[in-house]
Amino acid sequence: MPKTPEQWLQEASSKTGGVLKLFLGYAPGVGKTYSMLSEAIRRHSRGEDVVIGVIETHGRKPTADLAAQIETVPRKKLEYKGAVFEEMDVDAILARKPQVVLVDELAHTNMEGSKHRKRYEDVFELLDAGIDVLSTMNIQHLESITPMVQSITGIQVRETVPDWVLKRVDEVVMSDLTPEALQNRMRRGDIYPVERVERALGNFFRPGNLIALRELALRQVAQAVDRSLETYLEKENTGRTLGVRERIAVCISSNPAAQYLIARGARMAQAIDGELYVVYVDMGQDESVQDQKTLAENIRFAENVGAQIARVKGTSVAEAVAEFVREKHITQVVFGRSATSRWRKYLYLSAIHKFLRDAPAVDVHIVTQQSS
């Protein structure tokens, strides 16, 4: 049976566990893997026992030249649908017992037949064995950001890392490059083969996309720095008065568009270091198999972005949410708006007004959902 996020974090965050350092970027080609390999070579020169678990060079010679300087643990061969694939061999690394292992592309989904479904699960097992891990990831693979990335770039990101995984990261390094410099690297053929350059520059690597993705990555690193400072201040008992944390509640239904609301709420909570709740009011309206399926998917998404889930029964969304706000001392509430007909708009606004009448003082955000 798969482990829950809480079980993974509890096991991997023990005091005897390894240290996880993440090289974070905002697009392919910014230098994450190169920076990780450069650090590995420096550590090796200082006498640390460093090995490569898995590195993806993508045909880039400078990356391959660096990787050649470090011992590589052979990958495990797996047969799938008549073809042979290679994945990182977790058991072989555990048997080798290095001090440090390099694990590229944290968001990777392993082939069927692998020990774990996701590469970050492989990493957690290595950390639990006391092995330090250097890894890489692009910001668009963070689960709470994927809906925003799709709205910015028009590209659906299929391989993701749940937000709770980043709670186990001990150190985040931003592998940064200006969008202009990245485009120049692209034009020189340093990232993709020359025949793919123009297509990439006209799609994912458009200036607007790169600027937006870079801002998302920089914000993520800034939030990690802020969390580290808060932890330090608390441990050192500096006497600084820390403010009461904001508590954000996102109200959802079985509509798949609710994941957009949850992602917005998650980013709001991260930006202000607040607590995130996702509230579903059960009025018996989602009894069909399809509704139950999409509701379960929404709740799973909420769990993966670190939300606390609340399922409450009631005959009125407004009354039930107002009561929840009082009980949990919620400071901000997020509602979605997807109704288009005049009558539904009237009912929707009536419900909002009723909530405002019944609820204690609270900030209300009304977000237009992306309809499915």
Side-chain angles (χ1 to χ4, degrees), residues 142 144-145 148 163 215-227 230 240 244-248 262-276 305 331-332 365:
L142 186 61
S144 68
I145 289 179
M148 196 180 305
D163 288 46
E215 182 177 342
L216 289 173
L218 289 168
R219 284 183 184 176
Q220 185 67 36
V221 174
Q223 288 159 16
V225 171
D226 287 344
R227 286 194 296 271
E230 294 293 329
R240 174 183 166 188
V244 177
R245 294 181 75 190
E246 295 275 346
R247 294 185 170 190
I248 298 173
I262 296 167
R264 283 288 298 272
R267 300 311 297 171
M268 290 167 58
Q270 287 180 12
I272 59 176
D273 193 27
E275 295 180 56
L276 178 63
V305 298
T331 60
Q332 301 188 45
H365 304 266

Side-chain angles (χ1 to χ4, degrees), residues 82-137:
V84 176
F85 298 88
E86 292 185 343
E87 292 286 7
M88 182 172 71
D89 195 332
V90 180
D91 290 331
I93 296 169
L94 292 171
R96 170 65 176 72
K97 296 180 181 178
Q99 289 176 272
V100 185
V101 62
L102 277 62
V103 182
D104 213 0
E105 299 187 358
L106 189 64
H108 174 75
T109 301
N110 293 328
M111 290 296 303
E112 190 173 311
S114 299
K115 190 171 187 180
H116 300 296
R117 190 181 70 87
K118 296 288 292 187
R119 187 167 284 169
Y120 67 76
E121 295 173 327
D122 296 335
V123 166
F124 277 10
E125 183 168 356
L126 296 171
L127 292 169
D128 198 38
I131 299 171
D132 291 348
V133 177
L134 305 182
S135 191
T136 66
M137 188 180 84

Side-chain angles (χ1 to χ4, degrees), residues 234-279:
E234 289 174 1
K235 285 182 178 178
E236 296 297 315
N237 294 317
T238 61
R240 174 183 166 188
T241 302
L242 301 178
V244 177
R245 294 181 75 190
E246 295 275 346
R247 294 185 170 190
I248 298 173
V250 179
C251 303
I252 68 165
S253 66
S254 61
N255 188 333
Q259 292 187 23
Y260 179 76
L261 289 184
I262 296 167
R264 283 288 298 272
R267 300 311 297 171
M268 290 167 58
Q270 287 180 12
I272 59 176
D273 193 27
E275 295 180 56
L276 178 63
Y277 294 83
V278 166
V279 186

